[in-house]
């Protein structure tokens, strides 16, 4: 694969931003197998946003010859009080995350936070060095990466979180720091601090945050309205009725989509259209909508742009869009669902907050 093909693969959707594209080009020109990292708090059942969208980008990176690593952030999960801050539950859940990502993204490596930090004096020295360049105010502004705001009464451990995440990148040997757009602030912090302590800044790669099915709402975490809307509206396991899990069967997917926010003719912040754009068209070359002849008959779209234009013109009805989307999504998650079917009840009990 030549350089331009690698860059095209890394930059394709669901990639939303690379900081910077020129640095990415230089990386591929000088390093045969660049290092990568994406970190996950261990906090619940995996869904289309957390596994499938992120997993698509991991597959793209693997295809471009990048050494991808998923960081299973158990310490960060405890700090952010996921799964009640219970170490045993978090580590058991980490095994599930590892197995699911391994199934969906073959070739990706895994590192548990506890393994990275254990007997690692250099890590903790570097965490102090990094933190010496981060003011309390700067750390506070970065807390949106945890889904927290400066208005909340937080413990001191929460203010360690941004520095730990910043230093994780270096100690995992990552040339590329990868996450959803909601983690942008900590990547920009790392790029700001690294030169001050003699480290090369990582390239920041951010993928799209998949919308939840509930419709647009603000999070109150960002000043920019559109950025805050994207975070506030993202698919979240804490709102299971707005979330499609990898364990949902066709009937469940269909029922959730039936209730999804999808006004006729509305294309902005439309979660059903987003599923087609970022998931269906990532895997398929066309999108077929089946409907009775009296309603126009079956229609196929070769690109997302064609579908969006038709939907805006109200020539595709929301219910027909939802039914077609459900069938495609079921086909994509089917093998994952089957893998965990016998353990679903135990997983749900383990993940209960």
């Amino acid at each position: 694969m030549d350089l331009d093909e690698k860059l095209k693969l890394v930059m394709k959707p669901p990639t939303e931003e690379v900081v910077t594209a020129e640095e990415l080009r230089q990386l591929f020109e000088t390093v045969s197998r660049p290092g990568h990292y994406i970190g996950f708090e261990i906090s619940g059942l995996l869904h289309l946003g957390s596994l499938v969208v992120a997993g698509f980008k991991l597959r793209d990176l693997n295809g471009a010859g990048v050494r991808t690593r998923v960081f299973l952030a158990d310490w960060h999960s405890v700090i952010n009080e996921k799964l009640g801050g219970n170490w045993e539950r978090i580590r058991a859940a980490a095994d599930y995350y590892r197995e699911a990502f391994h199934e969906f993204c073959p070739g990706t490596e895994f590192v548990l936070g506890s393994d990275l930090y254990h007997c690692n004096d250099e890590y903790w020295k570097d965490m102090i060095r990094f933190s010496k360049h981060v003011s309390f105010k700067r750390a506070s502004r970065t807390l949106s990466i945890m889904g927290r705001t400066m208005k909340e009464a937080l413990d001191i451990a929460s203010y360690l979180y941004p520095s730990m995440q910043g230093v994780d990148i270096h100690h995992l040997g990552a040339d590329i720091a990868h996450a959803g757009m909601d983690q942008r602030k900590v990547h920009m912090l790392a790029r700001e601090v690294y030169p001050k302590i003699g480290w090369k800044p990582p390239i920041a790669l951010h993928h799209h945050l998949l919308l939840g099915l509930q419709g647009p709402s603000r999070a109150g975490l960002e000043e920019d309205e559109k950025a805050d809307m994207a975070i506030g509206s993202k698919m979240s396991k804490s709102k299971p009725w707005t979330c499609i899990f990898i364990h949902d069967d066709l009937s469940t997917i269909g029922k959730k989509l039936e209730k999804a926010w999808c006004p006729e003719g509305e294309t902005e912040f439309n979660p059903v259209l987003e599923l087609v754009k970022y998931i269906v068209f990532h895997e398929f070359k066309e999108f077929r909508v089946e409907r009775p002849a009296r309603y126009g008959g079956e229609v196929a779209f070769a690109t997302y742009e064609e579908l969006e234009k038709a939907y805006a013109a109200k020539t595709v009805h929301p219910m027909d869009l939802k039914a077609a989307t459900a069938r495609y999504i079921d086909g994509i998650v089917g093998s994952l669902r089957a893998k965990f079917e016998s353990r679903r009840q135990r997983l749900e009990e383990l993940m209960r907050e």
Side-chain angles (χ1 to χ4, degrees):
M1 183 179 292
D2 67 25
L3 175 60
D4 287 337
E5 288 175 322
K6 289 181 179 181
L7 291 170
K8 184 177 180 180
L9 199 53
V10 174
M11 299 290 284
K12 69 179 284 193
T15 296
E16 197 150 295
E17 175 186 50
V18 173
V19 184
T20 68
E22 181 56 34
E23 290 176 28
L24 182 65
R25 174 176 286 274
Q26 291 173 1
L27 178 67
F28 277 120
E29 287 174 339
T30 56
V31 180
S32 60
R33 195 179 182 208
H36 157 279
Y37 134 102
I38 183 171
F40 292 93
E41 286 186 345
I42 314 302
S43 58
L45 293 174
L46 291 161
H47 55 73
L48 296 182
S50 55
L51 176 58
V52 176
V53 171
F56 281 165
K57 188 43 54 183
L58 285 167
R59 289 181 182 178
D60 292 339
L61 289 159
N62 284 335
V66 175
R67 180 186 182 186
T68 58
R69 280 184 166 181
V70 167
F71 184 61
L72 301 169
D74 54 345
W75 282 51
H76 301 71
S77 303
V78 171
I79 290 173
N80 210 11
E81 299 181 359
K82 301 300 183 181
L83 301 183
N86 184 294
W87 286 103
E88 287 71 27
R89 290 178 65 198
I90 288 169
R91 287 179 182 171
D95 290 337
Y96 154 68
Y97 274 50
R98 186 195 310 267
E99 188 174 357
F101 272 97
H102 177 73
E103 177 75 15
F104 197 70
C105 315
T108 293
E109 301 174 15
F110 302 88
V111 179
L112 184 69
S114 290
D115 294 336
L116 178 66
Y117 307 145
H118 183 61
C119 294
N120 191 345
D121 290 349
E122 291 305 311
Y123 176 90
W124 298 108
K125 288 177 183 177
D126 285 338
M127 209 275 278
I128 297 300
R129 291 175 62 214
F130 185 98
S131 300
K132 291 285 287 182
H133 295 277
V134 183
S135 68
F136 181 78
K137 183 177 181 180
R138 185 76 168 84
S140 298
R141 291 205 313 270
T142 312
L143 291 175
S144 61
I145 62 174
M146 301 171 60
R148 308 288 183 177
T149 72
M150 294 170 62
K151 298 177 182 178
E152 296 182 59
L154 299 174
D155 51 46
I156 293 298
S158 298
Y159 292 91
L160 302 177
Y161 192 116
S163 291
M164 290 179 66
Q165 190 170 346
V167 177
D168 292 340
I169 298 167
H170 178 76
H171 276 261
L172 288 165
D175 302 296
I176 301 169
H178 169 204
M181 284 294 294
D182 55 342
Q183 301 297 299
R184 187 181 194 279
K185 284 185 177 179
V186 76
H187 291 168
M188 296 304 102
L189 177 65
R191 285 177 58 84
E192 176 186 316
V193 172
Y194 273 33
K196 297 177 182 178
I197 55 179
W199 295 350
K200 182 181 178 181
I203 295 163
L205 187 157
H206 303 128
H207 66 248
H208 181 76
L209 293 175
L210 195 66
L211 292 175
L213 305 180
Q214 76 276 10
S217 62
R218 291 203 61 168
L221 297 174
E222 301 285 348
E223 293 181 4
D224 180 81
E225 182 177 357
K226 192 166 185 179
D228 191 60
M229 193 80 78
I231 295 174
S233 307
K234 73 175 182 177
M235 189 169 285
S236 173
K237 47 193 159 290
S238 63
K239 301 173 184 176
W241 63 94
T242 71
C243 186
I244 297 178
F245 295 102
I246 64 170
H247 308 281
D248 289 342
D249 58 21
L250 177 58
S251 174
T252 303
I253 295 169
K255 288 175 182 177
K256 287 183 176 181
L257 284 175
E258 283 177 9
K259 298 176 182 178
W261 188 84
C262 189
E264 188 174 13
E266 179 63 59
T267 60
E268 189 171 12
F269 285 102
N270 185 318
V272 184
L273 283 175
E274 279 227 344
L275 292 178
V276 181
K277 180 178 183 178
Y278 291 103
I279 295 182
V280 176
F281 270 110
H282 193 281
E283 297 296 280
F284 297 93
K285 293 183 178 180
E286 69 172 11
F287 179 73
R288 288 185 173 272
V289 177
E290 298 175 4
R291 56 191 180 182
R294 66 180 182 275
Y295 295 125
E298 183 179 288
V299 60
F301 300 94
T303 67
Y304 170 75
E305 289 72 23
E306 289 180 10
L307 172 64
E308 185 182 78
K309 184 177 180 180
Y311 193 79
K314 299 184 180 180
T315 59
V316 174
H317 191 272
M319 295 310 295
D320 294 325
L321 173 67
K322 291 177 177 182
T325 303
R327 290 192 295 272
Y328 279 96
I329 296 299
D330 176 64
I332 290 169
V333 302
S335 61
L336 287 166
R337 179 177 63 237
K339 183 175 182 63
F340 293 103
E341 187 61 38
S342 64
R343 290 174 279 166
R344 175 163 184 169
Q345 186 173 349
R346 279 183 290 152
L347 286 170
E348 288 177 343
E349 292 172 356
L350 175 66
M351 298 297 186
R352 193 168 292 125
E353 294 281 1

